[in-house]
Amino acid sequence: MSTVENASPADDGTPAEAAGIAAQDWATASASPQYRAAVVDLLGALAYGELAAFERLAEDAKLAPTLSDKAELAKMASAEFHHFERLRDRLSAIDAEPTAAMEPFAKGVDDFHRQTAPSDWLEGLVKAYVGDSIASDFYREVASHLDTDTRALVVGVLDDTGHGGFAVEKVRAAIEADPRVGGRLALWARRLMGEALSQAQRVVAERDALSTMLVGGVDGMAAGFDLAAVGEMFTRITKAHTKRMAALGLAA
């Protein structure tokens, strides 16, 4: 999942309520069935997102105007598939069936990609830069409440595949060549922002274990975010989006 200028959790450290889980390794934290279910959900959502990103980048490569652009996207697609493999293998290692873990999220992710299918090369670049980065910011926020082993894996698979810098370069060049392109792409990016935030909210709302982890834990889990903190989280994600729009040369 590619991203540039990833929004990281708040600089003042892990919330005190979450310190219990966040300071534990997987072997200790997974003693809570509720926490274990939340992690399986999270890894399943991420794994399917990476698999879908691989498929989308491979498809977008067909729209590339040059052979070098096509090769660049193919390289990024390969990186996304490697991330998927790491998540799949981790699910297997914690005795969760990867396909079953991914299945609840497949329709939502597929629907998002159908609703935001790019009409051309530039829209595809903006989607990868804006849409994927919003998702990455969300998962990085969640990662601050995970055990040390799971947090390291999640942060690792959210590493930038290089798509961010590539997208900025190509989009800014296109706007410089034809300023009218900027207005169209700005509207497209705003649409992506709305759809991506809605998708992130649905991921949490539709899975009890994940929502419990975020807005008040039970059964020995960390308390996670309170409702006010959830609002602050989405505010940080929105601010990071505004910075990315500026990097692209677009108005937020």
Side-chain angles (χ1 to χ4, degrees):
M1 201 171 283
S2 54
T3 179
V4 167
E5 297 180 2
N6 288 309
S8 57
D11 292 338
D12 56 356
T14 302
E17 300 88 345
I21 292 289
Q24 296 172 7
D25 61 11
W26 168 253
T28 303
S30 61
S32 164
Q34 186 82 20
Y35 178 74
R36 185 184 186 282
V39 168
V40 169
D41 273 352
L42 181 66
L43 297 184
L46 269 171
Y48 192 76
E50 295 290 350
L51 184 59
F54 159 72
E55 293 178 321
R56 191 192 72 243
L57 284 171
E59 189 68 22
D60 287 352
K62 298 177 182 178
L63 301 172
T66 70
L67 185 57
S68 62
D69 290 337
K70 188 185 296 287
E72 189 68 24
L73 258 65
K75 181 177 71 174
M76 295 171 190
S78 176
E80 301 286 13
F81 191 76
H82 178 60
H83 291 166
F84 159 73
E85 290 179 313
R86 290 181 62 188
L87 291 159
R88 179 200 61 196
D89 292 348
R90 178 60 177 167
L91 283 163
S92 296
I94 63 174
D95 298 322
E97 206 289 309
T99 301
M102 291 189 291
E103 188 62 40
F105 306 100
K107 183 179 185 303
V109 173
D110 290 346
D111 285 348
F112 169 76
H113 287 305
R114 277 194 295 270
Q115 292 162 5
T116 59
S119 62
D120 61 19
W121 162 249
L122 290 173
E123 287 190 2
L125 290 178
V126 171
K127 179 180 176 180
Y129 182 59
V130 171
D132 286 1
S133 295
I134 292 168
S136 292
D137 287 348
F138 169 71
Y139 286 119
R140 283 177 182 272
E141 294 274 359
V142 175
S144 68
H145 296 268
L146 300 175
D147 65 274
T148 56
D149 298 319
T150 306
R151 183 166 64 247
L153 172 64
V154 169
V155 172
V157 300
L158 295 176
D159 280 347
D160 182 18
T161 61
H163 206 143
F166 180 74
V168 168
E169 177 188 348
K170 297 295 181 179
V171 170
R172 291 188 74 94
I175 294 172
E176 185 176 346
D178 182 0
R180 293 173 299 178
V181 169
R184 173 173 67 87
L185 293 181
L187 289 173
W188 171 243
R190 285 195 284 274
R191 177 185 168 192
L192 290 170
M193 175 66 174
E195 294 287 352
L197 284 179
S198 295
Q199 172 66 18
Q201 291 165 339
R202 284 194 297 271
V203 165
V204 175
E206 294 176 3
R207 304 299 294 179
D208 289 343
L210 275 179
S211 60
T212 298
M213 182 173 69
L214 284 173
V215 296
V218 296
D219 192 26
M221 290 175 62
F225 297 110
D226 58 27
L227 290 176
V230 170
E232 292 168 2
M233 174 185 73
F234 282 109
T235 296
R236 288 193 295 272
I237 291 172
T238 301
K239 287 181 178 177
H241 167 73
T242 301
K243 290 182 180 178
R244 292 191 189 97
M245 291 285 283
L248 287 169
L250 301 175

